[in-house]
Amino acid sequence: MRNFLVLFLVLFLVGCGSFDDSVVTLIDESDNCVSSVSYPKTSESKLNRKIKRYVKSSVRDFNSNYCSDDVLRQELNIDFKSNLINERYLNVVLVKTIEDEVWVKTFIFDVLKHKELSIYDILTDNDLMILSDKVKRGLGYDNIEINDLGVQFDDEFLYVYVGDSSVSIPLEELDLRIKISKDLEVVKSYQYKSVSKVIDPNGKVIALTFDDGPSRYTRLIVDLLNEYGASATFFVLGNKVSIYSDTLKYVLDSGNEIGNHSYSHKWLTHVSEEELISQINQTQDVIFNTLGYTPRLVRPTYGSVNQTIKDNVNLDIVLWNVDTLDWKYRNSNKIFKNVLPKIDDGKIVLMHDTYEYTYNALKLLLPKLKDLGYQFVTVSELKEVNSIRNELNKNG
Ligand code: ZN
């Protein structure tokens, strides 16, 4: 219960922040529930308020209906898609999942007029007839409340959601009141620079890792790492990759490693095999298409692993052996004091690049560890160091 109060507080703080994140990710774990919520922050404040209101009431409902002591641990996940059509219509789709139940909430927002469009602003009477017919025949609904329908566009189809079901209508069959033209997103291929580094396998090494990003703090953290000649590993969420593509290019160009942390932070030990594979593969694909880079590592959400993950995910599973508990302490001094005594040669440290206090804790930690003689390496570099050390032990 208390965790959710904190979550709302964060929600408001994010809203009042002086600089903007393009995607807000809130992850929470309590004894009875886990929740992961991602939603976009757009250029439109009116739309942002509507999205936040929906997210807030979803979390509140989940909290009161699913998180009691006498039920098994439940999961809330909210993921999103957002799409700017013809540089005018912002289409935001929020997909809420609780266990096996799915709800879809959509918004079409006219950024020229700063107003939300209803389905009547988008479809002509003739379009509405085609739509009703499709919904009746396709989904078996006799009576539909037009106002309750969710709509999503891509360059070929209009998707209409009724609850968790949807029908698709080819755009060429519709007249439409707004102009939607084919506007294919061009995938830019990008070649990141490989950075050459000298690591002494006989010296002390440590692998700093950051989960749940990227965020507005990621670039600041990379700047800081660069200052100390440090590299780290960033386990990113697929749903943020294309939005933060420039940040992630900077992450790679500075000699860091990127790993897979699922697409929308679903609890991977609790989803179907199909969903598990989709969460991992979608993330691999968007990272490759955006950055020309293929992650070799995966960090399972909430650090939970089972045989299904081991059997189906063709990436090295990386957990951690030092937890900074940054999400819990929320204070840079406390984080620093908690983590320092736990640091030792060869450890993997868990942090989150989604908090300002983690960034501030790093400002304390990096100079201290540098003085103690640590080399800051990526997880793959740590593996290499370990295998060189094993070889040396065998031969010596
Ligand atoms: Zn996570």
Side-chain angles (χ1 to χ4, degrees), residues 300-313:
T301 49
Y302 307 103
S304 37
V305 183
N306 61 11
Q307 199 56 42
T308 316
I309 294 181
K310 289 181 188 165
D311 291 345
N312 287 284
V313 179

Side-chain angles (χ1 to χ4, degrees), residues 11-31:
L11 209 68
F12 287 122
L13 286 177
V14 167
C16 305
S18 54
F19 52 150
D20 274 354
D21 233 331
S22 323
V23 182
V24 179
T25 305
L26 304 168
I27 291 162
D28 195 65
E29 197 176 355
S30 73
D31 289 343

Side-chain angles (χ1 to χ4, degrees), residues 27 211-212 261 265 301-302 352:
I27 291 162
D211 286 10
D212 302 346
H261 193 44
H265 213 276
T301 49
Y302 307 103
H352 299 85

